[in-house]
């Protein structure tokens, strides 16, 4: 794949193909936070003679504050004084472990710094179990994601060890193993709790909610998201509750809920998005609650359908804010502000509200909550991609996400950036990005905003911004905007990040941008090639996401001649061969093989083809990949072997590595495969069969039958490669007989007469000419070349059929009027006109050996006038000036003394006019090449 998009979140490609993976996938062992050492740092080396140890302590602490945890720990290990400064409480009030492996040993190492820790974010259930070893008893806020496997016991222990918690958030991934028991333990242990957000709990019983009401007198915000069952009546007893969200939850009794919740004395805002809430329940809540100011009901199908019949009733919410898919969110929020005496522009409401509400804590709390629930609802809508959302996204959804990207809340920024990455993708399997949505982001100023976000010092924000840029860049207009705004340099820098998740998303961005030919050189100039190669050396296993993206980007870049040279100079050949040999992940194997294929495609302009073949284990690895269960891997491996077979040494080495047997087996197996795999399988056999020894081996291995089957394909590209392989095989008399016995003559005749590809028709005609120029007669007389074969073949009938269609093929390039003029004139212009009419442009890429050229010379003397015409026509194609190998063929003809034979053919009275005219043109071509060689 040349491009890939990342779409749906979870916890756990044609081919220039980047989809939304987990925001923080499980980090490998080697991504751990380095353990600080205690080595002494001796005096004043440093850059430009600066004595870094002489810096004031406050300055050093400021330097530390701008580093990520890994770099901070590394710097602290340089000397004892910096180790002490690196442990300053002001540096360790907040800790984000999501991108790092956190086990009990790592947590114990960090424990000495966590006495004053107040805010913690982590990733995964395994990390959750290790957090108690941090001994951060003063912790106030804890948030974890991708905790699907977290259990009641783990969560209860976390609550018991962190009794000072004021905010606990586990989600947005479903916590299916959490029950009401854990909620009850949280309530009893964390009595200072002000905010509790949990996702995906199957049941939240009244007993658990009652415990929250009893033990948590300051609980102002409660969110039970995507839960199966909630005791909605018990929620009415949580008296201090101000903000409530049950978004995505099921089986709610709305009559009970509206009655119970409307009695809460402090309730300010409710979120019922993605539920089956009815219009009557919404109106009841808004009208019955004296304190309720905001109700969010986004993507509520029942409510929206009922509201379409009674739109007037839904607007009777004077002084209150109702947010739904049919309403204008920004306009509603601006009107809500106006009711409190604040005037603000609709378009910039989420960017400006903080400056307006610096002294209004109640409204500030509402807006912070509103940002949080909007980012969550929009992300969920983007993930599920329900029908009928196009209008919403284009009218206001894209602009809303971009507004939320500017939030001061880091998790809101991240979710908004993830939403931007996801909502543009309508088909992640085929990397389909909706152009209108992508361009809506661009038109609303999203590209500069996301690039600025990618420069953030927060690695979580960096990765989500890079992911959004990567997906949006599938659209060529957006890709150009990203490049014009300096995005390539930003992504190249992020690809060097020591944070694997950030580097992975940046590599994905470079992968998509590298699809455009106009961006390849810019990526190389920005140091992107070196950064991508280094990613492969840095993470050699266990992290398939970053490896697939790095290899995919290198594969696209390798299609460019200059970039392919730079990849080789940066060690890319070894890196990619290492992946092909050692990595077991199919996506990585496919991209590594595609990259090697593209590197080997520049045989005439650089030495990469030979370099790949000479890299230890490269050919063996590619041969083994042809046995993969994944069709994409087989296709790219066959393509790489095809390109590599253009080098003589590689061709023989592939055969020694078992390539003949592997490719014949692949050709047998791909009868019902994609056209791309069929083309490459036949193409690789075509490349190997240039060697006569390999050609014989292919025939003996049973390669004739599958190639004949592929010659019957409906695809022109498959026609060409199959015809090319059969042409090479037919040079050997034994193979020619095999082709006849396997029913190859009708297949080649059909190609010769009916294929839409001139090249396929040409090579099919040449294969038939080889088969019936008389050299096979001896073999046919001895008997079948296939041991034990009892097949009966009418050789005379096959010969007549072949010659008839060879003649018809040559005549299709014969304009009677033009040939008549050329026959009666010796003027060069007349011959030039014939050559132009007869020329098959692509035939100039074919390269013949001395033995093959000798065979065409011998064919000029053949008793058959059809074969003489065919031979002259073929030599015309091979020697036309401007052809890639025309000078080579002219030299072979000169050495073989072909001029005398050609003159005789041109003068023969019994020869067809086509043979005579073509022979004259070949003589003229030889004179041209001889003059060129002399000058």
């Amino acid at each position: 794949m040349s491009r890939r998009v990342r779409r749906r979140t979870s916890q756990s490609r044609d081919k220039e193909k980047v989809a939304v993976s987990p925001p923080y996938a499980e980090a490998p062992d080697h991504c751990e936070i380095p353990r600080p050492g205690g080595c002494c740092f001796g005096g004043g080396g440093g850059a430009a003679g600066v004595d870094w140890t002489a810096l004031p302590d406050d300055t050093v602490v400021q330097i530390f504050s701008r580093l990520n945890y890994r770099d901070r720990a590394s710097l602290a290990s340089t000397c004892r004084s910096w180790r002490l400064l690196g442990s300053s409480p002001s540096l360790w009030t907040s800790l984000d472990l999501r991108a790092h492996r956190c086990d009990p040993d790592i947590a114990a190492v960090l424990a000495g710094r966590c006495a004053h820790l107040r805010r913690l974010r982590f990733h995964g259930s395994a990390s959750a179990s290790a957090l108690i070893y941090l001994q951060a008893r003063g912790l106030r806020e804890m948030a974890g994601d991708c905790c699907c496997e977290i259990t009641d016991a783990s969560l209860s222990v976390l609550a018991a060890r962190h009794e000072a918690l004021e905010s606990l958030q586990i989600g947005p991934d479903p916590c299916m193993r959490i029950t009401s028991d854990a909620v009850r333990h949280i309530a009893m242990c964390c009595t200072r709790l002000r905010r509790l957000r949990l996702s995906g709990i199957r049941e939240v019983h009244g007993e658990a909610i009652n415990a929250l009401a009893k033990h948590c007198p300051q609980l102002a915000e409660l969110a039970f998201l995507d839960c199966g069952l909630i005791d909605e009546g018990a929620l009415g007893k949580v008296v201090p509750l101000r903000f409530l969200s049950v978004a995505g939850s099921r089986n709610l009794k709305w009559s009970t809920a509206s009655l119970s919740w409307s009695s809460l004395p402090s309730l300010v805002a409710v979120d019922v998005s993605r539920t089956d809430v009815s219009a009557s329940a919404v109106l009841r809540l808004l009208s019955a609650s004296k304190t309720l100011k905001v109700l969010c009901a986004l993507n509520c199908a029942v409510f929206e359908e009922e509201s379409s019949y009674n739109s007037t009733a839904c607007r009777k919410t004077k002084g209150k804010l109702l947010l739904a898919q049919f309403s204008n969110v920004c306009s509603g929020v601006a009107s809500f502000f106006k009711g409190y005496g604040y005037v603000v522009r609709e378009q910039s409401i989420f960017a400006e509200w903080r400056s307006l509400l610096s002294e209004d804590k109640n409204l500030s709390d509402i807006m912070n909550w509103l940002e949080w629930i909007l980012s969550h609802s929009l992300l969920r809508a983007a993930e599920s991609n329900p029908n009928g959302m196009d209008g919403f996204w284009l009218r206001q959804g894209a602009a809303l996400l971009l507004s939320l990207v500017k939030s001061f809340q880091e998790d809101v920024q991240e979710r908004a950036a993830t939403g931007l990455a996801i909502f543009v993708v309508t088909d992640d399997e085929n990397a389909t990005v909706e152009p209108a949505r992508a361009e809506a982001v661009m038109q609303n100023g999203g590209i500069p905003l996301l690039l600025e976000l990618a420069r953030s010092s927060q690695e979580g924000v960096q990765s989500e911004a890079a992911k959004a840029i990567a997906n949006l860049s599938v659209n060529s207009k957006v890709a150009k905007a990203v490049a014009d705004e300096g995005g390539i340099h930003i992504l190249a820098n992020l690809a060097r990040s020591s944070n694997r998740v950030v580097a992975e998303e940046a590599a994905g961005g470079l992968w998509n941008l590298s699809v455009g030919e106009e961006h390849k050189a810019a990526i190389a100039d920005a140091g992107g090639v070196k950064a991508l190669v280094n990613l492969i050396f840095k993470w050699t296993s266990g992290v398939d996401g970053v490896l697939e993206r790095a290899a995919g980007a290198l594969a696209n870049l390798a299609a460019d001649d200059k970039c392919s040279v730079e990849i080789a100079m940066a060690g890319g050949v070894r890196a990619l061969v290492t992946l092909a040999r050692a990595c077991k992940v199919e996506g990585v194997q496919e991209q590594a093989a595609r990259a090697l294929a593209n590197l080997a495609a520049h045989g005439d302009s650089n030495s990469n083809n030979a370099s790949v073949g000479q890299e230890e284990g490269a050919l063996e690895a590619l041969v083994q990949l042809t046995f993969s269960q994944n069709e994409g891997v087989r296709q790219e491996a066959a393509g790489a072997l095809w390109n590599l077979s253009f080098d003589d040494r590689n061709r023989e080495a592939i055969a020694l590595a078992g390539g003949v047997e592997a490719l014949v087996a692949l050709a047998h197996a791909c009868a019902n495969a994609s056209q791309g795999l069929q083309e490459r399988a036949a193409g690789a056999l075509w490349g190997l069969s240039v060697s006569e020894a390999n050609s014989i081996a292919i025939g003996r291995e049973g390669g004739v039958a599958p190639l004949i089957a592929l010659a019957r394909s409906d695809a022109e590209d498959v026609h060409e490669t199959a015809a090319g392989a059969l042409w090479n095989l037919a040079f050997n008399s034994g193979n020619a007989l095999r082709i006849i016995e396997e029913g190859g003559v009708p297949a080649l005749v059909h190609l010769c007469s009916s294929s839409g590809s001139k090249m396929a028709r040409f090579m099919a005609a040449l294969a038939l000419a080889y088969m019936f120029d008389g050299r096979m007669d001896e073999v046919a007389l001895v008997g079948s070349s296939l041991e034990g074969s009892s097949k009966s073949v009418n050789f005379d009938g096959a010969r007549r059929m072949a010659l008839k269609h060879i003649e018809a093929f040559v005549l299709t390039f014969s304009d009677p009027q033009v040939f008549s003029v050329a026959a009666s004139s010796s003027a060069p212009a007349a011959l030039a006109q014939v050559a132009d009419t007869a020329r098959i442009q692509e035939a100039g890429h074919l390269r013949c050996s001395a033995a093959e050229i000798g065979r065409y010379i011998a064919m000029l003397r053949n008793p058959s006038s059809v074969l003489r015409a065919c031979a002259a026509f073929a030599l015309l194609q091979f020697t036309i000036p401007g052809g890639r190998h025309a000078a080579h063929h002219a030299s072979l003809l000169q050495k073989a003394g072909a001029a005398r034979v050609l003159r005789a053919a041109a003068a023969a009275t019994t020869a067809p006019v086509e043979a005579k005219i073509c022979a004259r043109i070949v003589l003229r071509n030889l004179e041209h090449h001889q003059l060129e060689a002399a000058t």
Side-chain angles (χ1 to χ4, degrees):
M1 296 181 296
S2 63
R3 176 183 286 119
R4 190 177 183 88
V5 290
R6 293 164 64 87
R7 200 182 146 63
R8 292 182 175 80
T9 55
S10 67
Q11 71 279 3
S12 357
R13 117 89 154 57
D14 214 324
K15 304 267 172 193
E16 290 183 345
K17 266 185 184 184
V18 161
V20 179
S21 67
Y24 292 94
E26 294 290 348
D29 292 349
H30 46 275
C31 287
E32 65 186 32
I33 299 174
R35 305 167 189 271
C39 60
C40 291
F41 182 81
V50 176
D51 185 356
W52 293 99
T53 60
L55 290 173
D57 290 353
D58 288 346
T59 303
V60 176
V61 171
Q62 283 297 315
I63 293 173
F64 271 104
S65 70
R66 296 178 181 275
L67 300 177
N68 60 45
Y69 306 117
R70 183 185 289 102
D71 293 340
R72 194 181 295 175
S74 296
L75 190 58
S77 69
T78 56
C79 66
R80 294 187 183 93
S81 61
W82 279 19
R83 183 175 186 179
L84 290 173
L85 291 173
S87 300
S88 299
S90 62
L91 296 174
W92 296 94
T93 58
S94 177
L95 187 59
D96 187 347
L97 294 174
R98 290 176 297 167
H100 309 284
R101 180 178 66 86
C102 182
D103 59 22
D105 291 339
I106 296 297
V109 169
L110 291 171
R113 300 188 178 102
C114 293
H116 299 275
L117 190 63
R118 295 293 178 264
R119 184 171 179 267
L120 174 67
R121 301 184 76 178
F122 66 93
H123 171 86
S125 308
S127 294
S129 301
L131 295 181
I132 58 173
Y133 297 97
L134 292 175
Q135 299 179 25
R137 293 190 174 275
L139 200 61
R140 299 288 189 271
E141 298 180 31
M142 180 186 294
D145 58 33
C146 290
C147 295
C148 296
E149 299 300 316
I150 195 169
T151 62
D152 279 357
S154 297
L155 193 53
S156 298
V157 169
L158 278 180
R161 294 296 184 94
H162 302 97
E163 296 177 350
L165 275 179
E166 297 177 0
S167 174
L168 177 60
Q169 176 178 321
I170 307 293
D173 307 281
C175 306
M176 299 300 293
R177 301 180 68 183
I178 296 297
T179 70
S180 291
D181 287 342
V183 178
R184 186 167 52 82
H185 279 97
I186 291 169
M188 291 188 294
C189 295
C190 304
T191 57
R192 301 181 192 176
L193 206 61
R194 297 176 181 272
R195 178 191 297 129
L196 178 63
R197 296 168 176 166
L198 299 174
S199 296
I201 301 177
R202 282 190 299 242
E203 297 179 349
V204 186
H205 296 308
E207 182 183 357
I209 297 174
N210 291 334
L212 289 170
K214 178 180 178 181
H215 297 289
C216 303
Q218 301 177 73
L219 186 61
E221 182 184 340
L222 191 56
F224 290 126
L225 309 176
D226 300 293
C227 295
L229 184 67
I230 301 173
D231 190 329
E232 56 283 306
L235 288 171
K237 299 176 184 178
V238 187
V239 176
L241 203 58
R242 298 182 65 220
F243 302 99
L244 173 64
S245 177
V246 291
S249 293
R250 304 170 297 282
N251 304 313
L252 287 161
K253 300 180 181 67
W254 290 109
S255 56
T256 304
S258 56
L259 180 64
S260 174
W261 300 351
S262 61
S263 65
L264 286 166
S266 303
L267 189 65
V268 173
V270 174
D271 177 22
V272 294
S273 299
R274 298 182 295 109
T275 66
D276 60 355
V277 66
S278 64
S280 58
V282 168
L283 293 174
R284 195 180 305 120
L285 259 174
L286 287 169
S287 59
S289 176
K290 297 178 181 179
T291 58
L292 188 64
K293 303 295 182 186
V294 180
L295 194 148
C296 185
L298 290 171
N299 203 15
C300 297
V302 175
F303 172 54
E304 288 157 13
E305 184 178 355
E306 292 179 357
S307 299
S308 66
Y309 297 112
N310 189 10
S311 58
T312 306
C314 289
R315 293 190 177 94
K316 293 179 180 179
T317 57
K318 187 176 180 180
K320 298 187 179 184
L321 176 61
L322 172 60
L323 300 179
Q325 190 169 324
F326 54 75
S327 66
N328 186 306
V329 174
C330 291
S331 177
V333 175
S335 298
F336 180 67
F337 268 59
K338 190 175 181 180
Y340 287 86
Y342 297 103
V343 179
V344 65
R345 292 176 299 173
E346 289 181 17
Q347 297 85 351
S348 55
I349 179 69
F350 286 98
E352 296 179 1
W353 70 263
R354 280 183 177 79
S355 60
L356 290 173
L357 305 180
S358 56
E359 297 180 2
D360 192 329
K361 185 177 184 307
N362 288 331
L363 274 180
S364 293
D365 288 346
I366 290 174
M367 288 302 294
N368 278 318
W369 178 84
L370 192 57
E371 286 185 346
W372 191 86
I373 62 103
L374 280 174
S375 66
H376 193 280
S377 291
L378 292 172
L379 176 56
R380 280 289 188 245
E383 288 172 339
S384 58
N385 195 28
N387 292 327
M389 288 288 285
D390 276 345
F392 171 79
W393 289 121
L394 297 178
R395 284 194 311 272
Q396 59 176 322
L400 270 174
L401 286 170
L402 289 169
S403 296
L404 294 171
V405 160
K406 302 173 187 176
S407 172
F408 284 18
Q409 301 179 75
E410 186 182 336
D411 56 344
V412 171
Q413 280 187 324
E414 291 178 17
R415 271 196 299 275
T418 304
L420 287 167
I422 297 174
F423 96 99
V424 296
V425 182
T426 54
D427 181 358
D428 47 337
E429 291 298 322
N430 296 308
T432 303
V433 166
E434 174 58 42
R437 296 185 186 184
E439 288 166 28
V441 175
M442 183 172 65
Q443 290 161 6
N444 281 280
I447 303 307
L449 186 58
L450 286 167
L451 291 173
E452 184 61 34
L453 206 63
R455 294 190 185 98
S456 167
S457 60
Q458 301 297 325
E459 292 176 333
V461 175
Q462 287 177 353
S463 69
E464 297 309 313
K467 183 188 301 179
I469 294 165
N471 282 7
L472 288 162
S473 295
V474 171
N475 180 282
S476 59
K477 293 180 181 177
V478 177
K480 183 180 185 304
V482 169
D484 291 346
E485 293 285 345
I488 289 176
H489 278 275
I490 292 171
L491 290 171
N493 286 333
L494 291 179
R496 301 183 187 98
S497 174
S498 52
N499 182 314
R500 190 263 304 166
V501 183
V502 174
E504 178 177 326
E505 300 301 350
L510 294 173
W511 187 0
N512 282 350
L513 284 165
S514 62
V515 172
E517 293 298 321
E518 67 275 23
H519 304 314
K520 288 180 168 66
I523 292 171
D525 292 342
V529 168
K530 184 65 175 175
L532 291 164
V533 171
N534 286 345
L535 283 179
I536 297 174
F537 285 125
K538 189 172 186 179
W539 286 295
T540 53
S541 62
V543 281
D544 50 290
V546 67
L547 294 177
E548 181 179 5
R549 284 156 183 75
L554 289 172
N556 287 352
L557 292 168
D560 177 84
D561 183 34
K562 292 182 179 178
C563 289
S564 72
V565 173
E566 187 160 340
I567 290 169
M569 291 175 63
V573 172
R574 176 165 297 178
L576 292 163
V577 169
T578 299
L579 289 183
R581 293 179 64 187
C583 187
K584 303 303 179 186
V585 179
E586 291 174 344
V588 179
Q589 291 175 337
E590 180 178 355
Q591 296 309 319
R594 186 169 73 89
L596 291 169
N598 286 349
L599 283 172
H602 306 281
D604 289 345
S605 55
N606 62 51
S607 60
N608 284 347
N609 190 306
S611 297
V612 172
Q614 291 165 14
E615 185 66 35
E616 183 181 357
L619 301 179
E620 292 81 359
L622 289 167
V623 168
Q624 286 305 309
L625 289 181
T626 63
F627 295 103
S628 170
Q629 296 300 307
N630 181 282
E631 182 172 313
V633 176
R634 297 198 301 274
Q635 176 173 312
E636 299 304 338
L641 291 170
W642 182 9
N643 286 349
L644 288 163
S645 68
F646 282 88
D647 179 89
D648 294 341
R649 285 176 297 179
N650 286 345
R651 192 181 306 123
E652 304 313 316
I654 291 168
L656 288 173
V660 169
E661 296 81 357
L663 289 166
V664 168
L666 182 62
H668 272 291
C670 70
N672 299 315
S674 68
Q675 293 177 0
L677 177 55
Q678 291 178 339
E679 178 195 6
R680 287 163 176 79
L685 287 171
W686 182 10
L688 288 185
S689 63
V690 169
S691 156
E692 187 170 9
N694 289 345
S695 175
I696 294 170
I698 291 168
R700 288 175 177 169
E701 195 64 31
V704 168
L707 285 169
I708 292 171
L710 292 175
R712 296 190 179 103
S713 166
D714 294 330
E716 290 182 9
D717 289 342
V718 182
H719 290 172
E720 287 188 11
T721 53
L726 289 169
W727 171 40
N728 280 354
L729 291 177
F731 186 81
N732 174 268
S733 299
N735 282 338
L737 185 56
R738 286 186 177 93
I739 294 171
I740 295 173
E741 290 173 336
E742 293 289 348
V745 172
L748 288 167
V749 160
H750 178 73
L751 276 188
C752 185
S753 60
S754 305
S755 175
S757 164
K758 288 183 180 179
M759 276 289 283
R761 292 166 59 205
F762 178 48
M763 291 185 290
L766 298 184
L768 290 169
Y770 278 166
M771 291 158 60
F772 295 106
D773 67 351
R775 296 200 182 187
M776 187 188 64
D777 296 351
E778 246 181 72
V779 177
L781 286 172
V782 172
S784 171
S785 64
L786 298 175
E787 292 182 11
S789 173
S790 59
K791 295 181 181 180
S792 175
V793 179
N794 182 350
F795 289 99
D796 289 338
R799 177 184 172 87
R800 285 194 299 271
M801 183 194 306
L803 293 178
K804 175 184 175 182
H805 285 86
I806 293 171
E807 181 180 25
F809 166 74
V810 174
L811 287 174
T812 59
F813 293 88
S814 170
D815 183 322
Q817 185 176 353
V818 173
F819 269 72
S820 176
V821 171
S824 61
S825 170
S826 59
L831 293 179
Q833 191 175 2
V834 172
D836 289 341
T837 303
R839 184 172 189 177
I840 300 172
Q841 198 73 33
E842 300 88 343
H845 294 283
L846 297 175
R847 181 183 175 95
C848 296
S849 66
E852 289 173 298
I853 292 296
R855 190 151 179 181
Y856 291 114
I857 295 171
M859 221 179 280
L860 290 171
R861 302 190 187 98
N862 196 284
S864 167
S865 61
V866 171
L867 291 178
R868 294 201 301 274
C870 179
F873 180 80
L875 292 173
L876 179 152
Q877 302 297 335
F878 296 148
T879 58
I880 288 181
R884 190 173 180 180
H885 303 294
H888 163 74
H889 294 142
S891 174
L892 294 178
L893 285 164
Q894 297 283 5
K895 291 177 182 176
R900 181 172 54 83
V901 180
L902 286 164
R903 281 193 290 271
T909 56
T910 58
V913 66
E914 291 79 20
K916 295 162 70 172
I917 299 298
C918 288
R920 286 172 60 191
I921 295 172
V922 176
L923 284 167
R924 187 199 65 166
N925 292 344
L926 293 181
E927 291 172 4
H928 170 86
H929 290 297
Q930 198 168 11
L931 286 172
E932 269 202 347
T935 56

